[in-house]
Amino acid sequence: MFGKISDNVCTLIFTFNNMGIDKDIQQENFRSIYQKLSINLIFSTNWITEKIKNILQEEDITPQQYNILRILRGSKKPLSTLQIRERMLDKMSDTSRIVERLVKKELVEKKTSNIDKRLVDVSIAESGLELLKRLDQKNDELDAILQNLSPEEAAGLSDLLDKMREKI
């Protein structure tokens, strides 16, 4: 770390050892360790998402569709699109559009709600359950994406990420 005074303004520029994110994005200097962390989180999210997409691509399914199928499988009853959206990993997803694609693929079923005719109830179809069973067989492949971490490191990192979001 070194300081630089320019126009009576002190700017700290942090220089970190040249490994990891530094090499991946070819950037040696970061405004702060928090900027480096933010960039690393974004880069790592994109990296892991791409790895997961490659595995799901074999079944012609997107991560968002996979997420919805897993939500529906875990639910004891049909869910509205609003309930699905609340449980999704990506809250910005267009849940209705994704559900429609899953209906076209015959992986989910949609029916008008008995309670509120303005809503639809979505449930997983047998073919959706079969697809998830095939993908469950790839759990080791999904877990292997993070096998550079020990189980203790993975648990610690997960705890740190939870702690980071607590403040927000």
Side-chain angles (χ1 to χ4, degrees):
M1 174 175 38
F2 62 93
K4 175 181 154 190
I5 299 179
S6 168
D7 298 325
N8 296 326
V9 177
C10 182
T11 305
L12 287 178
I13 299 174
F14 290 82
T15 306
F16 303 94
N17 58 13
N18 196 18
M19 56 187 290
I21 191 68
D22 309 67
K23 281 187 178 178
D24 289 333
I25 66 169
Q26 300 175 22
Q27 178 177 333
E28 294 180 17
N29 299 320
F30 296 87
R31 176 178 39 81
S32 68
I33 192 64
Y34 298 107
Q35 180 195 36
K36 181 178 182 179
L37 174 60
S38 294
I39 290 169
N40 202 341
L41 285 170
I42 293 166
F43 185 87
S44 296
T45 298
N46 291 333
W47 175 82
I48 197 168
T49 300
E50 206 49 46
K51 301 274 186 192
I52 292 169
K53 277 182 186 177
N54 289 337
I55 293 170
L56 298 177
Q57 199 171 41
E58 296 170 20
E59 293 288 346
D60 190 32
I61 193 167
T62 67
Q64 292 86 359
Q65 292 171 341
Y66 179 59
N67 188 210
I68 288 176
L69 289 173
R70 291 181 65 239
I71 290 167
L72 292 171
R73 176 174 66 179
S75 176
K76 304 286 186 237
K77 57 185 174 142
L79 299 173
S80 70
T81 53
L82 178 61
Q83 291 170 313
I84 294 169
R85 183 179 298 117
E86 290 170 350
R87 298 178 186 193
M88 287 188 69
L89 298 174
D90 180 1
K91 306 287 186 209
M92 299 304 292
S93 294
D94 184 348
T95 310
S96 298
R97 183 180 52 80
I98 298 167
V99 166
E100 282 304 319
R101 288 186 178 164
L102 290 169
V103 168
K104 285 181 184 174
K105 291 181 177 189
E106 299 181 351
L107 297 173
V108 301
E109 297 167 350
K110 201 169 75 163
K111 296 178 184 167
T112 303
S113 172
N114 293 332
I115 298 167
D116 185 341
K117 301 295 179 196
R118 297 171 296 172
L119 299 177
V120 293
D121 289 332
V122 183
S123 57
I124 191 163
E126 189 60 38
S127 57
L129 289 171
E130 290 169 9
L131 182 136
L132 285 179
K133 284 180 190 171
R134 289 193 304 274
L135 287 171
D136 286 345
Q137 294 173 2
K138 296 179 184 262
N139 281 342
D140 289 342
E141 195 176 340
L142 288 167
D143 291 348
I145 294 169
L146 300 173
Q147 279 186 336
N148 285 347
L149 301 176
S150 69
E152 295 79 19
E153 289 171 327
L157 179 56
S158 184
D159 290 344
L160 287 170
L161 292 170
D162 289 342
K163 181 179 180 180
M164 178 186 71
R165 287 190 318 277
E166 282 175 9
K167 190 174 182 179
I168 298 173

